[in-house]
Every structure is written in C-alpha cells, then in structure tokens.
Amino acid sequence: MKFDTPATTNPIDRLKVVGKATSRIDGPLKITGAATYAYEHHEAAPNQAYGHIIGSAIAKGRIERIDLKDALRAPGVLGIVTHENSGPIGSKKTTVRTRVLAGPEVTHYHQAVALVVAESFEEARAAAALVRISYARADGRFDLAEAKDGAPLATPYRGPPETRIGDFEGAFAAAPVQLDESYSTPDQTHAMMEPHATIAVWDGDRLTCWTSLQLIANGVEDMALTLGISKENIRMVSSFIGGGFGGKAFILSDNVLAALGARLVGRPVKVAMQRALMFNNTTHRSATIQRIRIGAGSDGRITALGHEGWCYNVPDGLPESAPQPTKSMYAGANRLTRSRMALLDLPESGQLRAPCETPGMMALECAMDEMAEKVGLDPVEFRILNDAKSSPEHPGRPFSRRQLVECLRTGAERFGWDRRDPRPGARREGRWLVGMGVAGAIRGSIVFPAGARVRLDRHGIVTVETDMTDLGTGTYTIVAQTAAEMMGTSLNKVVVRLGDSRFPVGPGAAGQAGAASTTAAVYAACVKLRETVAQRLGFNNDEVDFAGGRVRLGNKSIALGKAAADGDIVAEDRMEYGDLAKRYDMQTFGANFTEIGVDCLTGEIRVRRMLMVCAAGRIINPKAARSQIIGGMTMGVGAALMEHMVTDTRFGYFVNHDLAGYEVPVHADIPHQEVIFLEEVDPMATPLKMKGVGELGITGTAPSIANAVYNAIGVRVRDYPITLDKYLDRLPALT
C-alpha cells in the first residue's frame, strides 16, 4: 500500500489546515473546567453512591476472614463488595491480567480485597477503616536480581524472544575492540494527574461505565469476559482522560468494582482509586537488567551486536523487552537479542510510555557512547558510521523512511556539538563541571485498523465519531484538522466526538499508534462522504474541489451544506493495512542532545539545555507535536535522574507509593527545550503520510543525560536513576 498521490487526487496534501500549528479545540473546555472527566458525570447517572477500595495488606497469601459487621452498621453504608458476594470474576480469554479482586488468594500488595459503598465518599472511607481482615501470609519472590538466573525466554508483543543473525559469539570473540557491560533500569510508574476512576450504572442487564480508559473496544470486551455478560450490553464512555501513559490501557479495579458495587446496591456507583493504591494496585514498568556486548573493528564499524534483557511479570504477562530497539537501530552483520522474564509476586507490569524502547535505549545508547570512546570516535560520528541502511533483523527489508543520520547531523549543528570537549571532566565553570551528551531515539511507527463515521448536516457542520480517546495529547484537534482538510471547510465547522463504544472502533490511545491510525480512518470516511456529496449536488467528476465550505467544479459553486438539505449525510469507513508491517520496517527516529552541570561540592546535577530532532512523518499539528515531544523529554529527565519505585524485597511492595516519595520532574528541573521536526512525508505509512510522535520524545532523553554526566565528571553510572550516591565519592576534586 502506498499513499503517494498528487494533491489533485489526495486533498489531504493541500495543507490548508493539516500541518498548521493549531491550538487545541478542546482547550477552552479544559481551561474553564467544562471538560467532563470520568468522575464528573454527575447528571448522566443521578443518585450516585461512592465506593472506596480497600487494598491488601500483604503481598502473597490468603484471606482467612473478613469481618464486615462494624462497617455495615456505619452511617451511610449501602453495601460492601468482597470475593464472597461478587460472583464469578475473570476469564482466561480476557486481556486483563491484573487480578481486580483478591479472594481468597492474594497475589500482590494492595490488590483490592473489598469495595465499601456508601452515600458519601467520607462515609465510605470511614467505614472502610472498620473492616477487619485476617491474612495468612506466604513467602514470595520479590527480587529480580535473585530471580534473574534461570528466568525463561519470554515472547514480547513484537517479535520472537530470541533473534540471531550470523555468528554473534564468533564475531564478538574475534573483534579487535569489545564492550561487555550490564545496565539496569528501575521500576517506574505512570504518575498521571487523574486517578483511575469509573462511574457505573446498570439498566436491567445493561451496563454503562463513564471511565478513564485508553482502549474503549478492548475495555468492553474485557469487561464482558470479566463479568460474564454480553459485550453488546456494555457501553464505555471516556470523553476526556487526565493522563494515562499506558496505565489506563485496560480495565482495572476501579472499572470492575464500580460495576460490582452498582449491581450490589442497585444504584450508580462512582469509584476513584486512592493515590496511595495506584502504585501497587495498577500496572507499572518492570525493572530491567540488561547485558550489551558490542564488537567492532579498529575502524569503528560494528561487527557484533548483542543485547540481552531480563525483566519480571506475573504469569501470562508480557515482558518489558528491552532488546527491542536494538533490532532496528544500528548495523552489524552478526547479531543477538534475547528477552527473559522472571515470575515475581509483585504487581503486574505493563505498558508505560514507549514500552521496550525506553528502558532498552537507556542501555543501548550508553553502550554506544562507551564503544565510541573505545574506538576513538566522536559519539555522533560513531552512530552515523554504523547507521543501518535496511532492517538489521530482516536483511533486504527496507525502512519506510529513515532519517536518523539527518537527525544527528542537524542536532549536532544546532546544539553546538563541535564545542564539546571529549575529555571527561575537562570543562569547568566555577564550581560546576559541564558535560554534553547525545543519544539516538527510536519508536515503532505502528498503525492499526481503525474506523470512523462522519456526518454532514444542512448547516455545513461535519461531525466526526470514533471510539478513539484523547489523553490530553491533542487527538480532538488533529481529527478535526483531517476532516476540515478533506471536506474543504474550516475547523469551526467540525465537531469531534470521541471515546464512546457506540462509535466505530478505532485503535485507542496506545503505542504511539492512535494519531496515525485514527486520522487514516477519518480520511477514509471523508472520501466516502465526498463522493456522496458530489453525487447529491450533481457532480460526477473526480476533479471536483472542496474548499471554503463550498463544492466547486469549473464555474459551478455550491455550499457544502446544500448536499444535506433533505437530511444528514452519513458515511462510515475503515482503514486497514494488510501485510504492510511485514514489507517495511516502520519506525520514527530522533536524536537527543543535552547539556548538564554537576556541582563539584554537592554532586547536584542540573539539566541546562535540551534539544531533540525528530523524523516522524508529516506533522499534522506542530504545536501539539512539540508539546508531546517536550513532555516525553521531561519524562526522560525523570527516568534518568529521579524516578524509581523502591521494592521492599522482604515483604513485596513498592515503598514509595505516593507522589511525595516517587519523585518526578517539576518546572524548576526543566530548562529550555528545543524541538526540531525534519521535513518528512512517509508515503508507506498512511494516507496522511504521517506517523505517531507521542512516545518518541522519551526514548533518547535519559541516555543523552547519562552520557552528558559521564562527559562532565568522568564517572559512568550504569544503574538508573543517576542519583548522587552512585558517583559522589568519585567526583573530581575542586581545584
């Protein structure tokens, strides 16, 4: 499939609306408080009761007894859901693996053991303190380092668990220059602003949930399987989401318990998960241990590249496959990647912004810098020398577009890379040691089948409907831009409705796939609508032009709304891609440059300036895309310097389970961030020739900071996050 068509036949290429920096059309709703989030649908389901989740006090074992007597007598209490009255829950077919309700077995700390439902939130919370639960604690496995040896191969969601090209072991052993190092990344969590929240209401055997959920269609299917009801009887609505980053990809305790609570008390029930429960109750990014081996000739060309990763999860969970980006990033004739996953009794690990690439690049890009030093090459030039011309894992399979070299060269020039002193610890400004670092960036350009429906009324208003969601990333706006461009009208004539399971099925917001997949579906639906409009107006020519809210052919010009004078015109279509992903290696690429300062006396690290250059297809909305990239870069600062869920390996829980103990970057931590988008259209990607960009920004930031730290102080920290306890005693003396 190739969407390389001239502007006369592909109206999206006119670029009158698409490609323009556009403020979010949902922005006024959000800044005035009029955007309705999951917990705020008060009028849609009146007479709501409140649910409060009780989390398990142990990580592994059994519930021996639940005493509800005092809690049930407490003021305002309507009922309490436990495993004893919930009915059957779960199915082996569901994609939800997090156990939403313990009982009698407990499989992780803060697993939900009960939901107290009361007239008010305060009454539910007070009554929850009166529930008495007795446990029988069992021994568990909570330490990845201890469980690493013997961990089995694990199949990631993209590709096999092990890949081999050529003779890696032989080529590595024969290489004149070798690197063999281990790196580790910690458990990390999503830390989104909006908690997991759901309002559930039953109408007979029909269930409606207003919820904070990224994947609507998956949520409907999973809820049906979890509760044992028909998915045709379930409606999910997620109009606005206050951040998710993958943590709201699937239904979790709030969704299921709200539904069970509403069924128990016969009233709508709303549940917002307490912040302290979110860290252990929901999913997170697994810690990883990685071994990277690189062999190269004296000229710096890589001859052997091996990347092995260990992570953990629950049974049937997916691995955090850190070696994934190595499959597409750099050349090397002899290759090995291998993913192993230990089974631990910790909460389930799952998707967090740019899964696989984020932890994998935190190791690979540091190893590339270390290897560049060994062979005596500049880090930028070493990466360029080893650029892959076609897919390294699939010889002969081309990239749809690959501008990694252009990203590196453009970034080096813009950032002033030539002013970098390659000698570690050589640049001083008073008490500050200053360093510069670089890293490549990559994130898969995934597209999924997606559907959309468009409607034209007599006023010329175009309404777009799809179950795609918007996490605050700007989906409403790029969907509107696509429809406006296709129908030749202005943005204020487009209405976008998202996040409702009654709408055509889209991909949902995950994997950097939502924007490209959804706009392609809107494109397809608009093509159908254009055809119908042209016919209604008496045009039967492919050269008909839609512009300025009118339909024109030659000297004939008719208002767009005239076509719907006798009733709305509705068109629906779906975009699919066949074997496109098998014929092309489809990726987005970038290059991160960072300058940091390290205080010689305190060891404090301050990020001074950052630049990212991106090659990610046509940029539909540069304003929103920049926002996504700087957000990703900010998350990269957190990954490099502070974010770490600390595991108590005795009792099996994350100790710092709140936003006071789990540190994330704040405004004072972030300097000026510059973003450059290279000119790029990818005719193999979608009809819009675009790719996703939301997750690319995080994948190269952390290693560019790590490399800058090494350049500043000459200490290589391979265990993230880079906290001062790991290098303070090795700081150069202040002279």
Side-chain angles (χ1 to χ4, degrees):
M1 181 179 295
K2 187 176 182 181
F3 307 107
D4 194 8
T5 53
T8 53
T9 57
N10 188 348
I12 209 73
D13 290 332
R14 296 176 306 178
L15 302 182
K16 294 182 178 179
V17 185
V18 163
K20 307 301 181 186
T22 304
S23 297
R24 296 181 184 179
I25 62 172
D26 53 316
L29 295 176
K30 291 180 176 178
I31 63 174
T32 60
T36 308
Y37 290 86
Y39 202 69
E40 301 172 336
H41 288 271
H42 310 299
E43 298 178 0
N47 195 30
Q48 295 169 8
Y50 293 77
H52 186 87
I53 299 173
I54 300 175
S56 169
I58 66 171
K60 184 177 176 62
R62 289 177 60 86
I63 298 172
E64 291 188 322
R65 182 169 177 267
I66 301 181
D67 183 354
L68 304 177
K69 181 174 57 177
D70 292 342
L72 286 170
R73 289 201 297 254
V77 173
L78 302 172
I80 301 176
V81 176
T82 71
H83 73 279
E84 295 173 344
N85 64 358
S86 67
I89 297 177
S91 164
K92 290 184 178 180
K93 295 181 180 179
T94 180
T95 59
V96 174
R97 293 170 297 280
T98 294
R99 287 56 47 93
V100 295
L101 182 63
E105 299 295 325
V106 174
T107 57
H108 65 85
Y109 182 74
H110 270 173
Q111 184 181 13
V113 295
L115 179 78
V116 179
V117 182
E119 292 286 357
S120 71
F121 168 76
E122 292 79 8
E123 288 171 324
R125 182 177 58 184
L130 301 176
V131 175
R132 303 289 180 256
I133 305 173
S134 299
Y135 300 95
R137 190 191 304 271
D139 293 333
R141 286 159 53 93
F142 309 120
D143 193 328
L144 175 59
E146 289 185 358
K148 169 178 171 286
D149 293 339
L153 291 172
T155 301
Y157 67 92
R158 286 181 285 161
E162 181 176 306
T163 64
R164 284 182 175 274
I165 305 292
D167 176 12
F168 167 74
E169 285 82 2
F172 180 74
V177 186
Q178 299 175 346
L179 177 137
D180 186 348
E181 294 290 354
S182 292
Y183 305 81
S184 62
T185 64
D187 292 286
Q188 299 170 340
T189 193
H190 306 85
M192 73 288 286
M193 289 183 65
E194 180 198 27
H196 298 260
T198 299
I199 299 173
V201 59
W202 291 87
D203 181 8
D205 60 353
R206 294 184 176 274
L207 171 67
T208 300
C209 292
W210 290 269
T211 188
S212 191
L213 184 66
Q214 296 174 222
L215 308 178
I216 295 294
N218 283 28
V220 168
E221 184 173 349
D222 290 343
M223 186 70 88
L225 291 168
T226 300
L227 299 182
I229 61 178
S230 170
K231 65 180 182 180
E232 285 71 28
N233 288 348
I234 298 174
R235 180 188 175 197
M236 292 273 186
V237 182
S238 191
S239 305
F240 296 98
I241 302 175
F245 311 119
K248 296 173 181 174
F250 303 109
I251 63 169
L252 297 172
S253 297
D254 64 297
N255 312 96
V256 176
L257 291 178
L260 293 173
R263 188 167 64 184
L264 176 69
V265 304
R267 281 173 56 179
V269 168
K270 65 193 310 180
V271 175
M273 191 177 295
Q274 306 95 287
R275 182 71 64 179
L277 254 64
M278 289 171 57
F279 292 74
N280 285 278
N281 181 281
T282 68
T283 61
H284 64 283
R285 194 198 304 280
S286 165
T288 73
I289 299 171
Q290 302 173 52
R291 181 189 184 190
I292 295 184
R293 286 175 284 175
I294 305 176
S298 55
D299 61 353
R301 294 187 183 276
I302 293 174
T303 57
L305 179 56
H307 192 165
E308 299 171 82
W310 289 261
C311 66
Y312 72 88
N313 212 334
V314 300
D316 299 323
L318 288 172
E320 183 71 55
S321 183
Q324 184 69 36
T326 299
K327 297 178 181 181
S328 297
M329 198 63 188
Y330 297 111
N334 302 282
R335 314 176 66 83
L336 166 69
T337 68
R338 184 184 291 137
S339 294
R340 296 187 180 275
M341 185 178 79
L343 298 181
L344 298 185
D345 298 302
L346 290 169
E348 179 188 0
S349 67
Q351 299 175 355
L352 201 167
R353 202 173 198 184
C356 303
E357 279 91 341
T358 294
M361 294 291 279
M362 289 169 76
L364 175 64
E365 288 299 305
C366 287
M368 288 294 288
D369 251 44
E370 293 194 59
M371 195 64 180
E373 186 175 44
K374 282 177 174 284
V375 298
L377 287 176
D378 175 84
V380 170
E381 294 305 319
F382 179 63
R383 287 170 171 83
I384 291 173
L385 177 67
N386 289 287
D387 184 48
K389 307 307 179 186
S390 62
S391 175
E393 292 285 317
H394 302 92
R397 179 184 296 180
F399 290 97
S400 60
R401 287 296 305 273
R402 180 183 174 101
Q403 293 198 84
L404 176 60
V405 170
E406 290 81 355
C407 289
L408 289 163
R409 291 204 186 282
T410 300
E413 180 179 358
R414 186 67 166 261
F415 199 69
W417 185 255
D418 60 341
R419 298 194 298 273
R420 170 184 177 267
D421 193 322
R423 298 170 300 161
R427 181 179 168 191
R428 292 175 179 260
E429 295 180 4
R431 59 192 279 179
W432 291 91
L433 291 163
V434 180
M436 296 169 65
V438 64
I442 186 173
R443 178 59 172 144
S445 177
I446 310 167
V447 284
F448 293 119
R453 181 165 54 235
V454 290
R455 182 189 309 271
L456 174 68
D457 69 14
R458 61 190 179 89
H459 302 292
I461 303 295
V462 178
T463 300
V464 186
E465 296 174 336
T466 172
D467 78 350
M468 172 64 182
T469 51
D470 189 331
L471 295 86
T473 49
T475 306
Y476 277 99
T477 306
I478 62 169
V479 165
Q481 288 178 272
T482 303
E485 191 77 78
M486 290 296 295
M487 300 310 300
T489 191
S490 57
L491 277 177
N492 62 5
K493 290 289 188 178
V494 179
V495 175
V496 180
R497 303 177 68 195
L498 301 177
D500 193 322
S501 59
R502 297 178 303 180
F503 300 157
V505 174
Q512 195 179 263
S517 304
T518 300
T519 53
V522 174
Y523 170 95
C526 286
V527 168
K528 273 194 172 182
L529 182 60
R530 286 167 59 98
E531 293 172 352
T532 303
V533 167
Q535 292 172 4
R536 288 272 187 98
L537 295 177
F539 296 115
N540 291 300
N541 192 308
D542 290 339
E543 299 300 315
V544 67
D545 183 39
F546 287 69
R550 304 185 69 81
V551 186
R552 298 184 176 89
L553 182 63
N555 294 325
K556 189 176 181 181
S557 174
I558 304 175
L560 181 62
K562 279 284 188 178
D566 297 328
D568 291 359
I569 303 174
V570 180
E572 184 174 330
D573 208 348
R574 186 170 179 80
M575 182 66 71
E576 298 183 349
Y577 299 90
D579 65 348
L580 187 66
K582 295 181 180 179
R583 294 189 289 114
Y584 294 93
D585 193 335
M586 305 184 69
Q587 306 284 341
T588 58
F589 294 97
N592 288 80
F593 292 81
T594 307
E595 181 179 279
I596 60 98
V598 181
D599 189 308
C600 285
L601 296 181
T602 66
E604 174 192 6
I605 297 174
R606 299 299 290 176
V607 180
R608 295 159 60 115
R609 59 191 181 101
M610 308 173 76
L611 166 68
M612 182 165 188
V613 184
C614 306
R618 171 178 284 159
I619 303 300
I620 302 302
N621 184 355
K623 189 173 186 178
R626 179 185 180 275
S627 177
Q628 284 297 289
I629 294 299
I630 65 173
M633 292 165 72
T634 301
M635 293 183 77
V637 172
L641 301 179
M642 56 193 74
E643 293 190 46
H644 181 190
M645 285 204 297
V646 180
T647 306
D648 185 320
T649 56
R650 303 165 302 163
F651 299 110
Y653 71 101
F654 300 124
V655 179
N656 52 335
H657 48 263
D658 56 37
L659 290 180
Y662 184 82
E663 296 185 16
V664 298
V666 296
H667 286 296
D669 297 310
I670 304 302
H672 174 70
Q673 297 168 308
E674 187 177 1
V675 180
I676 298 172
F677 294 107
L678 297 185
E679 289 291 331
E680 178 177 290
V681 293
D682 190 338
M684 300 300 172
T686 75
L688 282 76
K689 307 177 180 66
M690 68 169 291
K691 303 173 181 177
V693 75
E695 298 179 348
L696 178 64
I698 191 175
T699 64
T701 302
S704 76
I705 293 172
N707 291 333
V709 169
Y710 175 76
N711 181 239
I713 63 176
V715 179
R716 175 63 68 178
V717 179
R718 302 185 182 93
D719 176 25
Y720 289 96
I722 304 171
T723 48
L724 62 86
D725 56 299
K726 298 170 184 175
Y727 60 84
L728 186 60
D729 60 344
R730 293 182 283 168
L731 278 177
L734 180 61
T735 57

